[in-house]
């Protein structure tokens, strides 16, 4: 349950940072260049955390 919550938190943080970064871009703020890459990295990490077990051969069952 812990890894699932961590992945969900990564996705939520990534979406939040990306949304704030897009808002900063609209207001011509330099915060865009800090928030967008961080948000996109968190989205990629959270998404990979879900897709890895789904696409693995054993279905994510490590030793079970």
């Amino acid at each position: 349950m812990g890894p699932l919550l961590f992945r969900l938190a990564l996705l939520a943080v990534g979406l939040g940072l990306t949304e704030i970064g897009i808002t900063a871009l609209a207001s011509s703020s330099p915060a865009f260049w800090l928030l967008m890459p961080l948000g996109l990295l968190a989205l990629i990490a959270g998404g990979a955390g879900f897709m890895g077990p789904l696409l693995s051969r054993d279905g994510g069952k490590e030793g079970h």
Side-chain angles (χ1 to χ4, degrees):
M1 187 63 139
L4 176 68
L5 292 176
F6 180 72
R7 292 174 190 146
L8 283 174
L10 269 177
L11 285 172
V13 167
L15 286 171
L17 287 175
T18 304
E19 184 175 348
I20 293 169
I22 290 172
T23 305
L25 174 66
S27 65
S28 301
S29 172
F32 167 77
W33 296 107
L34 175 67
L35 296 175
M36 283 300 291
L38 290 176
L40 292 176
L41 283 174
L43 279 173
I44 291 169
F50 278 108
M51 294 306 292
L54 288 175
L55 298 176
S56 69
R57 175 175 275 212
D58 62 353
K61 298 175 184 165
E62 297 150 358
H64 292 152

